[in-house]
Each structure stands twice: as structure tokens, then as C-alpha cells.
Amino acid sequence: MANPGDETRLSIPEGVLLGHALVSRVAYSLGIRAFFIKGPASVLQGLRLPKTSGDVDVFVSPADLGSMVEGLRARGWRERPVDPDTRTFPKHSVTVHHPEWPCCIDVHFRFPGMERDPAECFEVMWTNTEDLELAGQEVRVPSKALGTLMLVLHALRSPHLPACRQELVFLGALTKRESLAVAVWDLSTFVGALAAMRPFLEGLLPPDVTVDWPDASREWRNRLMTREPGSARLIAITQAPLREKPGMLFRAAVPRREVLLSGNIYADMSFRGRLRQRRTRWAKFLGSVPKTFRNLTQLRKRHQRPNNR
């Protein structure tokens, strides 16, 4: 016999749609400018093939991040544990969860691949947003050009994955069909995303458009080289000053509780549970070492230029 309580529990698609409405209300009540990225809004705009989103992605100014998270905290949402190592994993969002909701909310305050100051980027992005009806109310979403830019940057982080390659092909065809290339290039220039967007834009821009392509930042190059378990830490340790390497090596071998909980907030934190998780992490890392070194060698050769930052 079915549990009566199960009948009233939100499904993931329902939670995501209602989550957009909730976040929009919270932002409005606090006077925060917020717009939604990726997710169902992108599907409605025709920027993505139909797919089920597992969370709510909202973008706010860096200055409003604390207020937005606090507003959600007042309604029962709590921050998920995260790895405190910002050298290895530069922070670009805060994720919150709620025990009675089937989805999380990701509050973004900067976007990887956009190299200008995050506050300046937000102002440029905000002027390129529009209204869209979602979950029974008007919410702010990126324009088609901005939405394309953000989805392309997101896919370019992992172009080796089939789903990301499929998305890039879809967005390339859309950009051609709707003549968005120049508008996307223009926005990329304003937010400092030309280096990251080069693989996508180079073949789409009209012949009369001349671009002085900048070099990619270290953070972006590192993201492209991070493909296998543990590769991000390996890169960070390699690039760190000598005096910091021992501590980073120790934390890689014996990760903090927050690191173990970041992947699963319900993980077993008993002594045996932590040992089991660490053993699993090491097994995955050691199994990926040969492929990691091959990838790093190939990508470094591909992205190496005289004036890399």
C-alpha cells in the first residue's frame, strides 16, 4: 500500500519550477536583481533541447550574494558543505538545499570563462535580460545572445563529454540560424570571455569581423585540463608555491569532513565510513593516473602560447 505522505511530495520537475517562483519572490522581497540561467527557462527559449533539470540556477550580483543566501536560509534552506580549498576549486556559486524539497538552488555570483570583474560582468549581463513567464509568474532570464554565451561557456568546460559536445553542436546550429554570432561575440568582449569562447566563435563570425583573440587565463586552462578524478588537485599542487605543497598533499590524502560531505550530505561520517570513502577516492584517483597524465600532456601542448597568463 502506498504511503499517503508520498502523494504530496514534490517531484523534481515540480520542485524546480516552484523553486524558480520561490527564489524570484525572495529576490523581489529583498530588492535583489536576480535572473535565472540554464534550466527550464533555456528550454522554453529554444536554447536547449528538452531535458529535466535537477536544480534551480539563479544569478545575482556579488554584492547581493550574502543577502540572497540569507533570505533563503530564513525559509529553511541550508548551505551544502563545500571543499574549502579555493585554490583548487575557485568559487563561483553557493548551493543550498532543503530537507523537504527534491532539488537544490545554486546561487551564482560569477561565471567561469568570464574574466572581467564579476560585478562589472553582472551589470553587462543584467542589461541583457528579459521577462519570461515560468511557474505562473514573470521571471528574469538572459536574452538569447546572453543565454547562448552562458550555455556555450558551460559546455566548453567539458567538451570531451558527449552531452557537452551535443549541446555545442545544437548551439552552433542555433547561432547560425538566428544570426547570433556577432551579438554573442560583442557580449563576450564586454565580459572578457573571448579567450574561452574562441573554439566556438572562430568558425561562426562573418569574414569581415576581425578579432584579436586574447590568451586564456590560468583558471580557464586549468578547468580544461581537469577531466579525471583528482586531476584538479594534482594541477593545483603542481602550480602552488613550494612551501604550500606539503599541506596540500596532506589534505589531498586526508580530506576534511566538508570534502566528503560535498558529494553526499548524507555520507557516513563514522570513523569506518570516512576510511571507506577515503579508500574509494584513492582507488579512483590511482586508477585514473595514466589517463590524467596523458590528458594533461596533450592539453598543455594544445593550449600553450608564448603570452599565456
Side-chain angles (χ1 to χ4, degrees):
M1 181 176 178
N3 184 345
D6 293 340
E7 297 176 6
T8 59
R9 189 169 182 82
L10 291 173
S11 67
I12 292 177
E14 290 169 339
V16 169
L17 285 175
L18 291 175
H20 280 73
L22 168 70
V23 174
S24 184
R25 290 286 183 90
V26 172
Y28 179 79
S29 70
L30 296 172
I32 293 173
R33 293 175 296 168
F35 63 95
F36 296 93
I37 61 175
K38 302 184 285 184
S42 296
V43 175
L44 287 175
Q45 288 178 293
L47 298 177
R48 261 185 168 175
L49 294 170
K51 61 184 295 185
T52 300
S53 298
D55 51 27
V56 177
D57 291 280
V58 63
F59 211 105
V60 300
S61 167
D64 290 327
L65 175 66
S67 298
M68 187 76 236
V69 172
E70 186 56 41
L72 292 169
R73 188 181 291 118
R75 290 159 176 81
W77 295 79
R78 295 292 179 265
E79 291 183 46
R80 286 182 66 103
V82 294
D83 193 321
D85 181 4
T86 56
R87 177 194 291 275
T88 304
F89 306 102
K91 197 172 182 181
H92 63 270
S93 65
V94 173
T95 301
V96 296
H97 68 100
H98 193 294
E100 296 177 7
W101 284 70
C103 59
C104 292
I105 298 172
D106 291 329
V107 185
H108 299 255
F109 61 94
R110 74 179 187 95
F111 208 80
M114 297 184 181
E115 305 293 353
R116 282 188 64 182
D117 176 76
E120 294 176 3
C121 286
F122 179 82
E123 295 302 329
V124 172
M125 289 189 284
W126 182 251
T127 60
N128 287 274
T129 59
E130 58 192 32
D131 287 329
L132 179 75
E133 186 173 331
L134 190 69
Q137 69 178 68
E138 295 285 325
V139 298
R140 297 296 286 182
V141 298
S143 65
K144 275 202 168 183
L146 178 58
T148 299
L149 167 61
M150 300 183 84
L151 289 173
V152 168
L153 284 175
H154 187 263
L156 283 173
R157 295 185 212 172
S158 307
H160 58 289
L161 298 178
C164 291
R165 288 200 300 271
Q166 180 187 39
E167 187 147 60
L168 289 170
V169 170
F170 177 82
L171 289 167
L174 173 76
T175 301
K176 283 182 180 179
R177 186 172 63 250
E178 303 203 10
S179 302
L180 290 171
V182 173
V184 173
W185 164 65
D186 201 36
L187 278 170
S188 299
T189 302
F190 282 120
V191 298
L194 277 179
M197 288 291 289
R198 183 174 183 174
F200 179 81
L201 283 176
E202 206 164 19
L204 294 173
L205 290 169
D208 59 329
V209 175
T210 303
V211 184
D212 183 13
W213 298 103
D215 294 323
S217 67
R218 171 179 282 186
E219 179 187 337
W220 184 253
R221 296 198 311 272
N222 286 352
R223 282 185 180 276
L224 297 185
M225 290 190 288
T226 302
R227 295 187 176 186
E228 302 299 325
S231 57
R233 292 190 190 279
L234 187 62
I235 293 167
I237 291 169
T238 302
Q239 295 173 347
L242 184 61
R243 66 182 182 279
E244 296 182 20
K245 292 182 190 291
M248 295 177 71
L249 283 167
F250 176 76
R251 283 304 171 193
V254 188
R256 295 181 172 94
R257 290 172 58 91
E258 307 97 287
V259 177
L260 300 177
L261 289 169
S262 63
N264 177 12
I265 58 174
Y266 304 109
D268 180 4
M269 285 292 105
S270 68
F271 179 73
R272 286 187 177 182
R274 295 198 302 274
L275 281 180
R276 186 164 52 249
Q277 290 178 74
R278 287 167 180 159
R279 188 165 55 244
T280 300
R281 288 167 62 89
W282 269 103
K284 286 182 179 179
F285 171 70
L286 292 173
S288 69
V289 164
K291 194 171 182 180
T292 294
F293 276 102
R294 284 199 303 272
N295 290 339
L296 293 182
T297 302
Q298 292 170 2
L299 286 166
R300 276 179 175 156
K301 287 179 180 177
R302 189 183 309 166
H303 296 284
Q304 191 172 22
R305 297 191 186 108
N307 298 317
N308 272 346
R309 286 179 282 166

